[in-house]
């Protein structure tokens, strides 16, 4: 009985034990499975105790951080702290863990070799049934490649591929950002637009690769020339705000945002540094050839927020207007947009309306300035100068000629000047008994117009003037903008029988190798070199050189702006062929020309 009863009592215990063993076995298998997953997972895993001391790290942690388990066991995770986050950052992290038992976010950490890297970190606080902390489990993965990809996408989207400067899109975004800061701090923001004068000539002379080199060097100089505290194109995570930004907005155009300006004079200093930096000679490489002493200059337009405009578009337009004024001065200048320019905008609209009406009605007149043959002391030719009478006054050509260029009214106006000047010359010739020469200025836009040849041909045929008596004056800058096309146009004009002169010679950047290819007859020495003759040694040397050069190339020289007998005597000694200026004869209407031509000059 007892034996049987004992056997009956132990059977349930054996079954329970077997069930318990089975559960333990399943738990072991589950733990082994979890362990295998944790060991092989690509995310780094760190387990710490309640005091946040490391109990375990997986192989992914060792690979990402460089720290081995044996080096970190029993230490706190802060051993890999990067130092990029302040105490407030960590206080907020621990507050979230205390309240929510979870925190997640981007954080910078340190490799064992000392280099830092970004990671996405997730931390969970594990508690027991009483709510007491048992462990912390952290998981993270390296964001370096993702950040690099994001940076590359941002670079392609917001940065110029050639100079690596911010492009137009980022420039406008940053400008809007600076507006908001300026409003809060009650400061000013300046926009500086920079255009390289006659940059196209570099591409024409040396090719686009050299032009690209030059743009890169200009970008580097701009980065240095702005205020010494400036940073050029920092990444968004930079700890400090960029003081100023230099951007390439297209072609040979650059822009600078100047923030925290106290007065416009601050912008002036930066602009002057830029002009000086760009005017210094460049050394470039064209294949195996080194190009030394390549000179360049820039024009700068500046507008100020909030004085000139309150929006990005309006402020940029204001700077563009100021840049146009700087370019109109001949380049190498800086100009501010001012309220005066705003007021002048309305006046400009009125002037444009009046100009259109005047062109349609041919409400202009021509004055003529005679040219003296230095050898015979007789006037043999004259230059046509347009005048616009309004009531009892004359509108200055400096006011309406640039406007005529901008509006393309210069084309019909130039055609009228050609016809009128040729007809007036033939009228004067009937009184003199011979046909004098007539010099007529061509504008840049007129010179590039396809209809120029027809306009010249029509003027010659309508007036019956001998073509060789017509001399068309073009400037160096007009020719050098597109040399090959300009030479083609000049040759076509010469085929009509007219003569050509290079006006304002010496003030541009023409190459002697191109000059000998130009089918021109005359060089006009700019008044800038005549004004201080014969006392200025440099001007005297330049004048002598131009005359010798012209004789070598079998060209005539006309010196303009002669106002003293000392100037005339010096030019005569140098055998300058022709002169003109107030000393000899002031510009006047056609009616005054017969007496001047007949009396000569003594």
């Amino acid at each position: 009985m007892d034996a049987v009863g004992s056997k009956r009592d132990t059977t349930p215990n054996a079954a329970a034990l077997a069930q318990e063993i089975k559960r333990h076995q399943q738990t072991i298998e589950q733990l082994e499975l979890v362990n295998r997953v944790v060991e092989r997972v690509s995310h780094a895993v760190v387990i710490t105790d309640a005091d946040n001391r490391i109990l375990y790290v997986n192989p992914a942690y060792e690979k990402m951080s460089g720290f081995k388990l044996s080096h970190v066991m029993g230490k706190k995770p802060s051993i890999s702290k990067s130092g990029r986050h302040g105490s407030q950052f960590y206080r907020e992290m621990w507050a979230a863990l205390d309240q929510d038992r979870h925190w997640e976010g981007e954080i910078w950490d340190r490799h064992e070799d000392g280099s830092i890297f970004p990671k996405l970190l997730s931390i969970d606080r594990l508690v027991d049934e009483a709510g007491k902390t048992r462990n912390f489990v952290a998981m993270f993965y390296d964001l370096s490649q993702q950040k690099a990809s994001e940076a590359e996408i941002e670079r392609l989207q917001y940065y110029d591929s050639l100079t690596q400067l911010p492009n137009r899109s980022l420039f406008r975004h940053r400008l809007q950002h600076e507006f908001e800061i300026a409003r809060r701090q009650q400061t000013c923001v300046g926009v500086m637009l920079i255009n390289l004068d006659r940059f196209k000539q570099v591409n024409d002379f040396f090719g686009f690769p050299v032009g690209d080199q030059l743009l890169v060097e200009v970008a580097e100089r701009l980065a240095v020339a702005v205020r010494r505290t400036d940073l050029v194109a920092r990444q968004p995570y930079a700890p400090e705000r960029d003081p100023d930004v230099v951007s390439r907005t297209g072609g040979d155009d650059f822009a600078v945002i100047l923030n925290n300006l106290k007065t416009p004079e601050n912008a002036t200093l930066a602009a002057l540094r830029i002009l000086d930096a760009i005017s210094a000679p460049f050394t470039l490489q064209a294949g195996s050839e080194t190009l030394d002493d390549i000179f360049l200059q820039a024009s700068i337009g500046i507008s100020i927020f909030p004085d000139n405009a309150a929006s990005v578009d309006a402020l940029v337009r204001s700077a563009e207007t100021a840049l146009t004024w700087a370019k109109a001065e001949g380049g190498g200048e800086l100009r501010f947009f001012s309220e005066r320019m705003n007021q002048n905008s309305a006046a400009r609209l009125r002037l444009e309306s009046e100009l259109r009406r005047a062109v349609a009605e041919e409400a202009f007149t021509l004055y003529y300035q005679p040219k003296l043959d230095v050898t015979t002391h007789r006037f043999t030719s004259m230059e046509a100068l347009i005048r616009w009478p309004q009531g009892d006054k004359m509108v200055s050509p400096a006011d309406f000629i640039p406007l005529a260029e901008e509006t393309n009214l210069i084309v019909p106006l130039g055609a009228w000047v050609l016809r009128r000047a040729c007809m007036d010359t033939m009228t004067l010739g009937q009184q003199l008994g011979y046909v004098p020469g007539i010099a007529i200025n061509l504008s840049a836009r007129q010179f590039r117009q396809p209809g120029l040849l027809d306009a010249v041909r029509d003027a010659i045929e309508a007036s019956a003037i001998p073509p060789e008596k017509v001399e068309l004056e073009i400037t160096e800058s007009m020719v050098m903008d597109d040399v090959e096309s300009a030479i083609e146009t000049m040759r076509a004009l010469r085929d009509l029988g007219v003569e050509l002169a290079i006006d304002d010679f010496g003030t541009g950047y023409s190459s002697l190798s191109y000059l000998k290819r130009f089918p021109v007859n005359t060089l006009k020495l700019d008044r800038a070199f005549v004004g201080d003759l014969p006392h200025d040694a440099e001007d005297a040397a330049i004048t002598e050189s131009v005359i010798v050069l012209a004789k070598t190339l079998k060209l005539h020289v006309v010196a303009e702006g002669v106002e003293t007998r000392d100037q005339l005597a010096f030019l005569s000694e140098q055998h300058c062929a022709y002169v003109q200026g107030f000393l000899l004869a002031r510009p006047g209407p056609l009616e005054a020309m017969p007496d001047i031509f007949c009396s000569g000059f003594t």
Side-chain angles (χ1 to χ4, degrees):
M1 278 297 287
D2 292 341
V4 174
S6 174
K7 183 177 180 179
R8 192 174 2 310
D9 291 340
T10 58
T11 300
N13 292 336
L17 181 60
Q19 191 68 26
E20 185 69 19
I21 291 172
K22 183 177 180 181
R23 283 198 300 271
H24 279 291
Q25 186 62 38
Q26 290 175 341
T27 300
I28 291 172
E29 290 175 357
Q30 289 175 350
L31 289 174
E32 288 178 349
L33 177 62
V34 170
N35 183 64
R36 285 197 299 271
V37 171
V38 171
E39 289 285 312
R40 289 167 173 75
V41 74
S42 60
H43 286 49
V45 177
V46 181
I47 301 175
T48 68
D49 61 15
D51 295 325
N52 200 31
R53 296 191 177 278
I54 295 175
L55 300 174
Y56 169 84
V57 297
N58 70 342
Y61 172 90
E62 295 180 330
K63 183 177 179 181
M64 285 187 206
S65 69
F67 289 99
K68 300 298 181 183
L69 174 60
S70 59
H71 296 165
V72 299
M73 185 69 73
K75 298 179 181 178
K76 292 189 175 184
S78 59
I79 61 168
S80 59
K81 190 175 180 180
S82 68
R84 295 194 67 164
H85 305 283
S87 57
Q88 181 63 27
F89 177 88
Y90 294 104
R91 279 198 295 270
E92 292 174 358
M93 174 193 292
W94 285 109
L97 287 170
D98 184 55
Q99 179 177 335
D100 304 324
R101 295 190 293 185
H102 177 79
W103 180 90
E104 184 173 335
E106 289 187 15
I107 188 171
W108 285 81
D109 218 337
R110 180 176 60 85
H111 290 108
E112 188 180 36
D113 62 10
S115 61
I116 60 175
F117 68 102
K119 67 183 185 182
L120 182 62
L121 173 64
S122 172
I123 307 175
D124 287 284
R125 183 169 67 92
L126 307 182
V127 298
D128 58 18
E129 295 178 355
K132 186 177 179 181
T133 301
R134 292 177 52 187
N135 299 96
F136 292 95
V137 177
M139 297 180 62
F140 66 83
Y141 63 90
D142 194 336
L143 292 174
S144 297
Q145 289 187 349
Q146 179 180 326
K147 292 290 185 182
S149 298
E150 291 173 356
E152 179 63 14
I153 292 172
E154 181 184 13
R155 187 187 67 79
L156 293 173
Q157 184 176 2
Y158 293 114
Y159 290 82
D160 175 57
S161 60
L162 178 64
T163 63
Q164 306 306 312
L165 292 178
N167 62 16
R168 185 188 300 272
S169 296
L170 184 55
F171 165 79
R172 295 175 65 84
H173 174 76
R174 285 296 308 275
L175 184 56
Q176 183 63 51
H177 177 63
E178 294 302 336
F179 279 6
E180 296 166 3
I181 294 174
R183 288 190 182 99
R184 290 198 301 269
Q185 299 181 351
Q186 296 185 331
T187 56
C188 296
V189 178
V191 165
M192 184 186 302
L193 299 186
I194 305 160
N195 177 261
L196 305 180
D197 299 327
R198 290 185 283 276
F199 172 75
K200 187 176 183 297
Q201 297 175 20
V202 176
N203 286 334
D204 290 342
F205 291 162
F206 307 116
F208 290 102
V210 173
D212 287 347
Q213 283 184 56
L214 188 57
L215 289 174
V216 171
E217 289 209 21
V218 167
E220 292 173 353
R221 292 190 184 186
L222 289 176
V224 175
V226 290
R227 291 180 297 176
R228 297 299 182 259
T229 57
D230 294 349
L231 301 174
V232 184
R234 298 180 66 90
Q235 296 300 319
Y237 53 75
E240 65 269 42
R241 181 170 59 87
D242 304 348
D244 290 335
V245 169
V246 179
S247 303
R248 183 186 178 209
T249 54
D252 58 342
D253 294 317
F254 296 83
V256 178
I257 300 173
L258 303 169
N259 64 38
N260 196 29
L261 292 176
K262 305 303 181 190
T263 66
E265 285 72 20
N266 297 134
T268 302
L269 295 175
L272 291 175
R273 277 202 299 270
I274 286 173
L275 291 178
D276 288 343
I278 293 178
S279 64
F282 291 84
T283 298
L284 304 173
Q285 197 71 30
S288 59
E289 181 185 2
T290 299
L291 306 174
D292 294 317
D293 294 338
I294 302 297
F295 288 91
L296 200 64
Q297 65 179 20
S299 299
I300 299 178
I302 304 171
S303 58
I304 305 296
F305 168 86
D307 298 358
N308 303 138
S311 70
V312 169
D313 288 337
L315 194 66
V316 170
R317 284 198 301 270
S318 298
E320 288 172 345
T321 300
L323 178 60
T324 300
W325 281 82
K327 300 287 283 188
E329 295 293 329
E333 299 285 342
L334 70 92
R335 289 290 181 271
F336 278 87
F337 183 86
S338 66
E339 285 304 313
R340 178 183 62 80
M341 291 184 186
N342 280 327
Q343 295 166 3
N344 286 349
S345 295
R348 181 189 183 281
L349 291 175
R350 289 194 299 271
L351 183 63
E352 180 180 341
S353 177
E354 293 169 358
L355 181 61
R356 290 185 181 278
R357 184 167 55 251
V359 170
E361 298 172 356
E362 296 184 352
F364 299 90
T365 188
L366 292 182
Y367 273 28
Y368 297 93
Q369 185 169 35
K371 296 180 185 178
L372 185 74
D373 184 321
V374 176
T375 303
T376 65
H377 282 236
R378 305 295 296 180
F379 293 108
T380 57
S381 62
M382 58 187 182
E383 180 180 359
L385 304 169
I386 191 169
R387 296 291 185 265
W388 182 10
Q390 279 192 341
D392 57 352
K393 63 183 180 65
M394 293 282 188
V395 180
S396 170
D399 291 333
F400 71 85
I401 292 297
L403 181 57
E405 284 268 4
E406 292 176 26
T407 57
N408 212 33
L409 289 170
I410 197 68
V411 175
L413 182 58
W416 177 86
V417 171
L418 281 167
R419 292 194 307 271
R420 184 76 268 161
C422 290
M423 290 179 176
D424 284 355
T425 302
M426 292 303 289
T427 299
L428 178 60
Q430 292 173 359
Q431 300 177 54
L432 298 177
Y434 66 92
V435 179
I438 179 67
I440 305 168
N441 290 282
L442 296 181
S443 74
R445 186 180 290 270
Q446 188 182 9
F447 182 74
R448 292 192 293 266
Q449 283 293 319
L452 174 62
L453 293 176
D454 291 336
V456 174
R457 187 183 296 110
D458 291 346
I460 293 173
E461 292 176 355
S463 64
I465 190 172
E468 66 273 13
K469 292 296 183 178
V470 178
E471 184 178 70
L472 303 178
E473 296 185 358
I474 56 182
T475 63
E476 284 183 271
S477 58
M478 287 163 50
V479 175
M480 302 308 291
D481 281 344
D482 189 344
V483 175
E484 298 304 325
S485 177
I487 291 175
E488 183 179 342
T489 300
M490 287 189 285
R491 286 174 178 163
L493 289 169
R494 288 301 306 274
D495 289 342
L496 296 178
V498 303
E499 298 198 341
L500 298 177
I502 298 289
D503 195 12
D504 300 335
F505 184 76
T507 61
Y509 293 86
S510 61
S511 165
L512 295 182
S513 64
Y514 279 98
L515 181 60
K516 69 180 183 180
R517 294 178 55 198
F518 295 156
V520 298
N521 310 92
T522 303
L523 300 181
K524 290 195 71 175
L525 185 65
D526 187 74
R527 65 182 66 247
F529 302 114
V530 175
D532 292 328
L533 292 177
H535 309 293
D536 188 290
E538 292 183 356
D539 286 346
I542 292 173
T543 300
E544 292 176 24
S545 300
V546 170
I547 293 173
V548 170
L549 172 66
K551 288 181 178 179
T552 302
L553 298 176
K554 296 180 173 56
L555 304 176
H556 298 303
V557 175
V558 177
E560 55 184 354
V562 177
E563 298 182 355
T564 70
R565 289 190 175 272
D566 285 344
Q567 293 168 353
L568 179 60
F570 178 83
L571 292 166
S572 298
E573 291 172 4
Q574 301 303 318
H575 304 290
C576 181
Y578 303 95
V579 293
Q580 67 183 98
F582 287 176
L583 172 68
L584 313 166
R586 289 178 176 270
L590 181 66
E591 295 77 19
M593 293 301 106
D595 289 343
I596 295 175
F597 272 78
C598 291
S599 62
F601 178 79
T602 58

